[in-house]
């Protein structure tokens, strides 16, 4: 593989050689179509008239990579945590693919060296790096197929930067986190919980909605009211994490992570 990589690198320009080596070093894959990887690391803010050229920036690749990442992480968790219920697996996956965690992984990978974006903030203070990581996953899939994409996610992301045991043992009370955030930033937090008809007559199903200042921002289901409210709070925190401008009066987005 090294000889093949050396041969391919010789075919590129000086800039292309550096970028190819960067992608190969960081991902462990040998790119065939470098244009996909440039696109993956190009943010919409750096493109003139982006509405005219969707292939010039990474939003479509990010959409694809997000779905692939979620599926691969779900597969890893399903195989590793036998006997655990859907709620546990869902919470684990949510913690792994959260924007804040993806930003951290992207920083550790060093994607900021080649991410092309125009922002007044430091890239580490935005979601651009995490979005670019998802786009990179999409690029690898389109360029080299699912197996290489799966290898990158499991080997270079999960095994290298994600401590599954620590995450699984971390007792996250999402309802308390949301309420504490509300108190700190002077927002009212409420939960509306209703009982839902379940398919099994002997089981119960509850649906909860998390409200911030009467704005519905998260819903969740569970076999108990507590579980439903926890899932609703988790959904709300994820939504707020993905929409940092939702409550502009606070600058403490990190409190949600």
């Amino acid at each position: 593989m090294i000889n093949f990589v050396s041969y391919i690198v010789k075919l590129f320009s000086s800039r292309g050689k550096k970028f190819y080596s960067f992608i190969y070093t960081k991902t462990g894959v040998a790119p065939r179509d470098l244009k996909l990887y440039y696109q993956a690391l190009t943010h919409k803010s750096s493109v003139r008239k982006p509405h005219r050229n969707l292939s010039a920036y990474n939003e479509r690749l990010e959409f694809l990579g997000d779905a692939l990442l979620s599926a691969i992480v779900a597969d890893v968790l399903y195989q590793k945590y036998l006997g655990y219920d859907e709620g546990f697996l869902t919470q684990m996956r949510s913690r792994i693919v959260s924007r804040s965690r993806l930003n951290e992984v992207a920083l550790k990978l060093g994607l900021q060296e080649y991410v092309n974006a125009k922002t007044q903030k430091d890239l580490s203070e935005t979601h651009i790096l995490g979005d670019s990581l998802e786009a990179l996953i999409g690029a690898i899939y389109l360029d080299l197929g699912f197996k290489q994409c799966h290898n990158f996610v499991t080997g270079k992301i999960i095994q290298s930067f994600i401590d599954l045991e620590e995450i699984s043992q971390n007792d996250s009370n999402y309802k308390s986190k949301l309420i504490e955030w509300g108190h700190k930033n002077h927002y009212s937090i409420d939960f509306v919980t209703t009982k839902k008809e379940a398919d099994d007559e002997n089981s119960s199903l509850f649906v909860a909605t998390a409200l911030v200042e009467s704005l519905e921002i998260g819903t969740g289901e569970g076999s108990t009211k507590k579980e439903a409210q926890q899932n609703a709070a988790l959904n709300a925190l994820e939504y707020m994490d993905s929409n940092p401008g939702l409550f502009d009066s606070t600058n403490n987005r990190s409190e949600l992570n």
Side-chain angles (χ1 to χ4, degrees):
M1 176 62 73
I2 297 300
N3 290 337
F4 172 75
V5 170
S6 299
Y7 170 75
I8 292 296
V9 168
K10 291 179 181 178
L11 301 180
F12 295 119
S13 64
S14 177
R15 177 172 177 264
K17 290 178 182 178
K18 291 180 180 179
F19 186 65
Y20 185 98
S21 297
F22 173 80
I23 295 297
Y24 179 72
T25 300
K26 300 300 181 181
T27 67
V29 304
R32 292 185 301 193
D33 185 358
L34 269 188
K35 294 192 299 293
L36 281 171
Y37 300 86
Y38 281 121
Q39 180 185 347
L41 301 185
T42 301
H43 188 255
K44 187 176 183 178
S45 62
S46 65
V47 178
R48 184 179 181 184
K49 298 181 179 179
H51 60 283
R52 294 187 180 181
N53 189 4
L54 295 176
S55 63
Y57 55 96
N58 63 10
E59 281 190 355
R60 283 172 55 82
L61 286 175
E62 177 195 341
F63 164 79
L64 179 60
D66 174 65
L68 288 163
L69 176 63
S70 182
I72 294 170
V73 169
D75 176 59
V76 170
L77 296 176
Y78 185 86
Q79 301 297 333
K80 181 176 178 61
Y81 294 101
L82 301 176
Y84 286 77
D85 63 18
E86 179 190 6
F88 171 85
L89 297 176
T90 298
Q91 289 189 9
M92 281 285 291
R93 182 180 60 183
S94 296
R95 297 176 200 174
I96 292 170
V97 303
S98 69
R99 277 289 171 266
S100 58
R101 193 175 299 275
L102 291 183
N103 287 341
E104 291 176 4
V105 172
L107 270 172
K108 291 176 180 177
L109 275 173
L111 295 190
Q112 64 276 13
E113 293 181 38
Y114 275 95
V115 167
N116 186 10
K118 292 183 179 179
T119 173
Q120 295 181 346
K121 296 182 179 180
D122 187 281
L123 281 177
S124 62
E125 299 177 356
T126 71
H127 293 305
I128 292 175
L129 289 177
D131 295 344
S132 297
L133 177 58
E134 289 182 330
L136 182 59
I137 293 169
I140 293 173
Y141 169 75
L142 291 179
D143 187 34
L144 300 169
F146 183 76
K147 183 177 180 180
Q148 291 274 34
C149 179
H150 190 283
N151 290 343
F152 169 62
V153 172
T154 56
K156 294 292 185 176
I157 295 180
I158 296 178
Q159 292 179 13
S160 298
F161 301 115
I162 306 295
D163 188 335
L164 294 178
E165 294 307 314
E166 180 183 352
I167 293 174
S168 67
Q169 294 172 13
N170 181 21
D171 182 17
S172 295
N173 190 327
Y174 300 110
K175 183 177 179 181
S176 293
K177 284 188 177 183
L178 184 60
I179 291 174
E180 288 172 6
W181 175 85
H183 287 165
K184 183 174 182 178
N185 296 287
H186 309 293
Y187 288 115
S188 63
I189 307 295
D190 296 293
F191 290 86
V192 176
T193 307
T194 58
K195 190 172 183 179
K196 181 180 178 181
E197 291 294 332
D199 295 334
D200 185 351
E201 294 181 357
N202 296 318
S203 63
S204 299
L205 183 63
F206 295 88
V207 179
T209 301
L211 303 97
V212 178
E213 293 292 318
S214 300
L215 176 66
E216 297 182 5
I217 61 169
T219 59
E221 296 184 352
S223 57
T224 65
K225 290 183 179 180
K226 180 179 179 180
E227 181 182 4
Q229 291 178 358
Q230 285 287 347
N231 289 333
L234 171 60
N235 183 250
L237 291 169
E238 290 175 342
Y239 181 76
M240 293 166 71
D241 190 39
S242 299
N243 297 271
L246 185 61
F247 298 101
D248 290 330
S249 61
T250 177
N251 295 318
N252 299 307
R253 311 308 308 171
S254 60
E255 293 298 321
L256 300 180
N257 301 324

